[in-house]
Amino acid sequence: MRARVIKMIATAVTVAVLILGIPSVILGGILVWQADQLSLESRTQVLGNMVERRIQANEEVTTDNLRSWVLGNDPLSTGYIRVNIPEKEGLIERGEHVEPPRMTAAVVLPSGATLRTEVSAWPTLWKVIRLVIALVAGIIASLTAGYWLALRGSRRISAPLIYLAAQAEQIGSGQVRARVKPSGIEEIDLVQEELVRTGERMAGRLAAERQFASNASHQLRTPLTALSMRIEEIELLSDNEEVRNEARVSLEQVERLTQVINDLLKTTKTGGGNAEAIHVLEIFNQQREEWEEAFESEGRELTFTDEAAQPVLAASSVLSQVLATLIENSLHYGEGTTRVVCRKGTSSRGVMIDVSDEGNGVPEDMTELIFEKGVSARGSTGIGLPLARDLIKGTGGRLELTQNKPPIFTISLPAMPASLDPDVVMPEGILVSVGRRRRRF
């Protein structure tokens, strides 16, 4: 999404700048050339008027006259001047012909004399080149500013969408929350408000399901228990073997029905999920209180460090259980200081939690087998690590052995953006009913 927004804005800015910039470069060059050409023609006309006055006064026009009329910053001072007076002096020249590129101008005087001038076009061309460089620099600056604005605009659009997706994920997992802070983008806010209403509806349905589960637990288990006791009594008191067999079959059916009801109620209670935005530091504090005394009794040290300082999307109970499994393994099979470090992942979307110690770690031949059920390198049941891996995988995370000696187990979790506090973006509290906004078309 963000890449598309950047591409769209950058393309629009590029097209606009090129449509305006290229004609500006061409037009600017033409205007500079025409300005110098008009200046040369104007100076030639002034010089022709001087020549015409001398002709009318029957004075001689010489090369020295031409030299004295073009001094200082006059462009003709380094150019070529030719005066043709057919009836008197004839052809009078000053300077030498200018090599191309050059600019020329000519006038015909009332007396019939003609005046032609030539100057080098290089000064004008340098002006054009400087103008083109300035305009191209402006185009590049505009493109750079446009790309920077595209980046900022994409962040402004993509960030609310990320938080909106996080809210949708929590609603989908059963974690009904209040509305997030409005983004200021009307379309996104409309979607967010609809998510709030969806969450309210889901909350009502979940409440109804839980109420049903509670009622069913009382209404079904009690009579089934009484029925089971009566059938057992019949089985014990009856002398008829056929009756006792039928009672035994009926008792099995009642027990099977009871188990089905228990499974249905369990599914209803646990089907909502519990993934949410949490602070890792809170989990660390909980684990420190639970395990610090055990490590001290063994003369070992347990440290927790939160370098990422970034909220994650996970289930707090699952993350606590997985960390407890890794810390317990380190306590029983590791040595030295056990370190639990939360750090940022290779991308901004992930957070890593490393659990390490200074022991001998996992043998090379057990690296690939350690997460298989029933496999253990130290004679344990081989259930803890596979179960922890399955639990964290169910919440969208990952558990793996990143280094075998000394051992480092790494938990990878999806991260919330660091610029937002989940307590502000998704505050826990009562459901907020939001009215529909009017949208102007």
Side-chain angles (χ1 to χ4, degrees):
M1 174 65 186
R2 183 178 177 185
R4 291 183 179 180
V5 172
I6 293 175
K7 184 178 180 180
M8 180 179 62
I9 297 177
T11 301
V13 171
T14 302
V15 171
V17 168
L18 292 180
I19 289 177
L20 296 175
I22 293 177
S24 298
V25 171
I26 297 174
L27 182 61
I30 293 174
L31 290 176
V32 170
W33 183 277
Q34 289 182 347
D36 282 6
Q37 179 67 39
L38 289 174
S39 176
L40 177 62
E41 292 176 356
S42 175
R43 186 67 187 96
T44 303
Q45 184 64 50
V46 171
L47 189 60
N49 293 337
M50 294 179 181
V51 172
E52 180 65 20
R53 284 196 296 271
R54 293 191 70 87
I55 293 174
Q56 295 299 331
N58 292 322
E59 296 179 0
E60 183 181 7
V61 179
T62 63
T63 302
D64 293 335
N65 297 139
L66 298 177
R67 186 176 293 108
S68 63
W69 291 337
V70 287
L71 295 174
N73 296 327
D74 195 329
L76 295 176
S77 60
T78 57
Y80 170 74
I81 304 173
R82 185 185 68 185
V83 181
N84 187 10
I85 307 176
E87 298 180 357
K88 294 185 179 181
E89 289 82 353
L91 190 63
I92 303 171
E93 295 179 309
R94 179 201 175 277
E96 299 180 354
H97 284 283
V98 178
E99 297 294 332
R102 62 190 175 207
M103 302 177 69
T104 63
V107 294
V108 179
L109 304 178
S111 62
T114 60
L115 176 65
R116 176 182 174 84
T117 57
E118 296 177 2
V119 296
S120 175
W122 279 114
T124 303
L125 290 177
W126 283 118
K127 291 181 183 179
V128 173
I129 291 172
R130 287 195 295 271
L131 176 64
V132 170
I133 292 174
L135 291 176
V136 170
I139 291 174
I140 295 174
S142 299
L143 292 176
T144 304
Y147 186 75
W148 178 75
L149 291 174
L151 286 175
R152 290 200 60 183
S154 65
R155 290 194 196 101
R156 186 172 180 268
I157 294 175
S158 62
L161 291 177
I162 293 173
Y163 311 138
L164 198 63
Q167 186 187 19
E169 172 67 22
Q170 291 201 349
I171 291 177
S173 63
Q175 298 296 318
V176 181
R177 300 272 180 158
R179 64 158 62 194
V180 300
K181 184 178 180 180
S183 64
I185 302 175
E186 183 179 9
E187 291 77 6
I188 295 178
D189 290 342
L190 287 173
V191 176
Q192 188 273 324
E193 290 175 4
E194 188 60 36
L195 278 178
V196 171
R197 288 187 286 272
T198 301
E200 292 175 354
R201 291 192 292 268
M202 289 184 61
R205 292 177 182 177
L206 288 174
E209 289 179 1
R210 288 166 183 164
Q211 185 64 39
F212 167 78
S214 177
N215 294 337
S217 175
H218 176 73
Q219 297 295 333
L220 295 177
R221 286 177 178 173
T222 301
L224 284 175
T225 301
L227 180 61
S228 176
M229 294 176 63
R230 294 296 299 274
I231 294 175
E232 288 179 354
E233 183 178 356
I234 291 172
E235 182 184 7
L236 292 174
L237 298 179
S238 177
D239 296 331
N240 190 326
E241 185 65 25
E242 184 176 354
V243 173
R244 294 176 64 182
N245 290 335
E246 290 297 329
R248 188 180 303 108
V249 172
S250 298
L251 184 61
E252 292 177 354
Q253 294 295 330
V254 171
E255 291 177 352
R256 185 179 303 171
L257 179 59
T258 302
Q259 184 62 40
V260 170
I261 292 174
N262 290 335
D263 292 340
L264 290 174
L265 294 178
K266 183 178 179 181
T267 302
T268 302
K269 290 180 179 179
T270 62
N274 58 352
E276 58 181 336
I278 60 175
H279 291 288
V280 176
L281 192 59
E282 297 176 359
I283 306 297
F284 282 2
N285 292 334
Q286 173 192 349
Q287 296 299 312
R288 179 184 289 107
E289 293 177 359
E290 181 176 349
W291 294 101
E292 195 169 34
E293 184 176 349
F295 273 81
E296 289 178 354
S297 64
E298 295 290 333
R300 295 175 56 188
E301 185 180 1
L302 175 64
T303 64
F304 293 86
T305 307
D306 184 8
E307 298 177 354
Q310 190 171 4
V312 297
L313 273 178
S316 58
S317 59
V318 170
L319 183 56
S320 298
Q321 183 173 346
V322 173
L323 281 176
T325 299
L326 297 177
I327 294 172
E328 183 180 12
N329 285 348
S330 177
L331 175 64
H332 291 162
Y333 310 119
E335 299 175 3
T337 301
T338 296
R339 295 179 175 85
V340 183
V341 180
C342 179
R343 58 182 175 84
K344 292 185 178 180
T346 54
S347 67
S348 59
R349 298 181 180 179
V351 168
M352 308 291 185
I353 301 178
D354 295 329
V355 181
S356 62
D357 58 54
E358 301 170 356
N360 294 325
V362 181
E364 291 285 350
D365 57 342
M366 298 294 296
T367 302
E368 301 295 332
L369 304 174
I370 195 171
F371 290 104
E372 294 185 6
K373 291 183 179 180
V375 178
S376 174
R378 300 297 179 90
S380 63
T381 60
I383 297 176
L385 286 177
L387 178 60
R389 191 176 201 178
D390 292 341
L391 287 174
I392 203 67
K393 185 178 181 181
T395 63
R398 189 171 67 253
L399 172 61
E400 54 192 350
L401 177 66
T402 53
Q403 181 176 308
N404 63 319
K405 186 177 182 180
I408 299 179
F409 288 88
T410 301
I411 303 172
S412 303
L413 297 170
M416 291 287 287
S419 59
L420 285 186
D421 185 349
D423 295 332
V424 176
V425 179
M426 299 177 181
E428 295 186 5
I430 61 173
L431 297 174
V432 180
S433 179
V434 182
R436 293 185 177 272
R437 291 176 55 181
R438 291 186 177 181
R439 182 175 179 182
R440 294 190 297 270
F441 292 91

